Amino acid sequence: MSENIVAKFGGTSVATANAAGMVKKIIDSDDENRRYIVVSAPGKLDEKEYLNEKYREKVTDLLIELGKKPDDETIKDRIIQRYQSLSPGTDVTELSDLLNQRRAMPKDNPKRYADGIKAFGEEACARLLAKVWGLAYIDPKELFVVSEEYGNARILPQSEEMVRKRLAGIDGKIIIPGFYGYTEKGSIATLSRGGSDLTGAYVAAAVGAKTYENFTDVDGICAANPNLVNNPKTIRFLTFEELRDLTYSGFNVFHDEAVQPVQEKQIPVHVRNTFSFPKTGTFICYERRSNPQKPIVGIAYKNGFCAFDIAAFGLNSMRGIERKILQTFEEEGVSVECSIGGIDDVSVIFAEDQILSEDDPEGCFKINMLNNRLKGLLANKNPKINFNENYGILVVAGKGIKESEYIQTKVSTTLSDAGVKIKFISQGPSERCIIYGINSADSSKAVNAIYDKFLK
Ligand code: ASP
């Protein structure tokens, strides 16, 4: 493990000249070891924060638009102006030329073409900041070989050695653009949206960084969704496993795929706010001591689930029936979130959007198909099959849950005292978290009741 720190700056941190000035201060500040800087494309500031309209668009979104209409000069100008305003007075002709080169690329593969344009956002940002700050720019071509899955590429294992070797020979600080790499055939391919987090995590893992700092515009990871709870606390320490349980339903400060490389190498992640530096944020670590008084670390909630409840006398003793039921969902292209069994009944829960399509926006066709097939499986058992919608899933997470006595009863009582009807409860054998199925109408009531009782 080295002393080096990898710092990744998200879109809002490089959205304006002011913001970039803060980034520069952070790079120049106390810690000499903050050497590897990964940047996103300039992002957007929301209306409340910034009155100037031009900052309300994400450059990546503009580039996606440009990919669809490459001859549109207005979009191109809007993009280049964002770079100009990031560093007023700097000549951005080179960036403009680079974007023109990308627009002139062959269009035979539309996804490849779109990625070439999209990646400009991060590349131009890193090139520009490297130039004005006098830092070295390292191109992803020298670091990341990625799969040929345009828009959703994966960084391939040989990249680790490439990153290590390339960065070993450099003194001083460097800037790397996030979000993309090159395929074995030499084309640009972007990672999934928010993928600069992943770039940063791979660099941190490859160089064995002391810390991976993920700079954003919030003070860290909140113990509950701020859209549901008024001013929730920021979590100070969180394990990778706890983060996984929380990102499952709605926590999206840090890209979930970015967890794996740093978790594997046990590199702590520090999610912190560019705009309140040097204040610390949330540390995500491999292990932490749990506080017996606070077994729960956070609550997540996700909407948009539905369920088939299947009941038939003697269901429990039908050999292989659960497998056949789940196989029916698989064959219909529906991936199941979880299934909860009683004695003669079972509930199969899945994300609603999987049964909707352009031709079937209400899901009628899929629901009927599943209903008929499930009835067919239990034809001689006189089954009762009900489709239920508007479910939400609540995840109560914390490593202390395992050791805490009667915690499930306490949480369930808190929910029912608040008038929340619990549809189902589930807890895996590792007892890391408790999962509740509730009506989506009860989401705010449920999250606030648990927050007030266990986290406030
Ligand atoms: N700029 C890219 C996006 O908007 C990648 C990133 O910001 O991490 O998804």
Side-chain angles (χ1 to χ4, degrees):
M1 177 129 344
S2 70
E3 282 302 298
N4 293 320
I5 297 172
V6 175
K8 179 252 158 178
F9 291 90
T12 43
S13 304
V14 287
T16 63
N18 244 340
M22 307 241 188
V23 173
K24 176 75 168 90
K25 262 195 212 138
I26 295 170
I27 298 176
D28 288 345
S29 69
D30 57 328
D31 209 328
E32 267 308 299
N33 297 317
R34 194 176 284 112
R35 288 187 50 207
Y36 305 126
I37 314 298
V38 175
V39 288
S40 288
K44 66 173 175 193
L45 299 182
D46 78 27
E47 227 163 299
K48 280 173 271 154
E49 281 175 79
Y50 218 90
L51 294 172
N52 191 335
E53 258 177 57
K54 73 177 177 199
Y55 296 113
R56 287 189 215 144
E57 294 169 309
K58 266 186 135 188
V59 165
T60 306
D61 293 335
L62 288 173
L63 288 161
I64 292 171
E65 240 182 287
L66 186 68
K68 291 178 193 147
K69 297 181 231 159
D71 299 326
D72 193 324
E73 292 301 322
T74 326
I75 306 177
K76 188 224 155 177
D77 289 345
R78 265 167 37 216
I79 294 166
I80 296 301
Q81 271 163 25
R82 285 296 299 272
Y83 291 94
Q84 187 65 81
S85 58
L86 197 53
S87 179
T90 303
D91 183 2
V92 291
T93 320
E94 271 176 32
L95 298 183
S96 178
D97 292 347
L98 178 65
L99 187 52
N100 283 338
Q101 275 171 32
R102 293 285 157 81
R103 291 159 86 195
M105 286 179 320
K107 299 189 181 68
D108 52 316
N109 179 339
K111 286 188 173 167
R112 186 185 61 208
Y113 182 79
D115 271 17
I117 301 227
K118 233 192 289 173
F120 172 85
E122 285 39 38
E123 178 171 353
C125 188
R127 284 189 185 277
L128 178 68
L129 295 177
K131 181 168 145 185
V132 293
W133 294 342
L135 305 179
Y137 165 85
I138 310 280
D139 198 80
K141 196 172 212 159
E142 302 181 67
L143 305 173
F144 301 112
V145 181
V146 298
S147 63
E148 216 175 311
E149 295 161 279
Y150 297 108
N152 193 23
R154 281 168 300 110
I155 299 177
L156 298 179
Q158 61 265 45
S159 310
E160 188 174 335
E161 193 56 21
M162 285 167 69
V163 173
R164 210 183 356 254
K165 276 200 180 134
R166 180 67 182 93
L167 300 189
I170 304 173
D171 292 330
K173 305 196 176 200
I174 57 161
I175 297 201
I176 303 168
F179 190 42
Y180 69 97
Y182 281 74
T183 65
E184 270 161 355
K185 290 183 196 147
S187 330
I188 292 175
T190 64
L191 314 178
S192 53
R193 289 300 302 264
S196 300
D197 278 355
L198 266 155
T199 308
Y202 270 94
V203 174
V207 301
K210 184 174 80 175
T211 315
Y212 171 32
E213 289 182 322
N214 199 281
F215 281 93
T216 121
D217 58 356
V218 290
D219 278 342
I221 299 175
C222 294
N225 184 339
N227 295 326
L228 294 173
V229 172
N230 190 18
N231 213 1
K233 278 187 182 158
T234 301
I235 302 172
R236 292 271 300 134
F237 296 99
L238 191 64
T239 65
F240 286 111
E241 284 180 340
E242 287 168 329
L243 176 69
R244 168 73 194 122
D245 293 337
L246 293 171
T247 39
Y248 158 78
S249 51
F251 276 51
N252 54 9
V253 177
F254 186 57
H255 197 301
D256 51 354
E257 286 166 46
V259 171
Q260 199 203 347
V262 273
Q263 180 174 11
E264 242 171 58
K265 298 267 168 86
Q266 302 190 14
I267 295 169
V269 180
H270 186 182
V271 178
R272 57 195 309 192
N273 193 343
T274 300
F275 306 96
S276 53
F277 185 82
K279 188 175 164 189
T280 55
T282 302
F283 289 95
I284 309 164
C285 13
Y286 192 71
E287 214 20 299
R288 70 175 178 98
R289 279 190 58 218
S290 55
N291 173 354
Q293 309 306 319
K294 296 252 172 224
I296 294 169
V297 76
I299 323 153
Y301 172 79
K302 193 157 127 191
N303 256 334
F305 292 93
C306 53
F308 266 102
D309 295 338
I310 305 150
F313 186 77
L315 187 80
N316 192 36
S317 52
M318 286 175 76
R319 185 174 298 152
I321 190 64
E322 195 155 337
R323 177 186 56 75
K324 287 180 190 156
I325 290 175
L326 293 179
Q327 191 173 342
T328 306
F329 283 86
E330 186 185 346
E331 284 167 9
E332 288 301 322
V334 173
S335 88
V336 168
E337 205 61 33
C338 55
S339 70
I340 315 278
I343 301 211
D344 276 339
D345 57 359
V346 62
S347 190
V348 179
I349 296 108
F350 53 96
E352 212 156 37
D353 56 5
Q354 296 183 88
I355 53 168
L356 313 178
S357 64
E358 243 172 59
D359 304 335
D360 185 21
E362 305 289 317
C364 304
F365 181 75
K366 249 309 178 270
I367 295 168
N368 280 334
M369 179 62 103
L370 281 163
N371 201 12
N372 289 339
R373 289 195 61 181
L374 293 169
K375 262 197 188 128
L377 278 182
L378 299 159
N380 50 0
K381 293 272 176 191
N382 193 20
K384 282 201 187 78
I385 299 177
N386 286 316
F387 172 73
N388 292 303
E389 55 190 330
N390 298 327
Y391 277 12
I393 289 186
L394 187 75
V395 177
V396 180
K399 67 169 278 190
I401 285 178
K402 191 170 181 170
E403 286 93 45
S404 185
E405 281 192 340
Y406 309 116
I407 186 77
Q408 202 189 99
T409 318
K410 288 179 196 161
V411 178
S412 304
T413 310
T414 307
L415 287 172
S416 45
D417 286 352
V420 175
K421 194 160 182 296
I422 300 168
K423 299 278 190 184
F424 61 83
I425 306 177
S426 160
Q427 197 174 15
S430 65
E431 295 176 61
R432 274 170 18 193
C433 61
I434 315 169
I435 301 172
Y436 289 90
I438 59 170
N439 276 327
S440 36
D442 287 340
S443 57
S444 169
K445 241 186 330 193
V447 175
N448 277 288
I450 302 174
Y451 181 83
D452 289 348
K453 174 95 182 192
F454 297 96
L455 287 159
K456 211 168 184 172

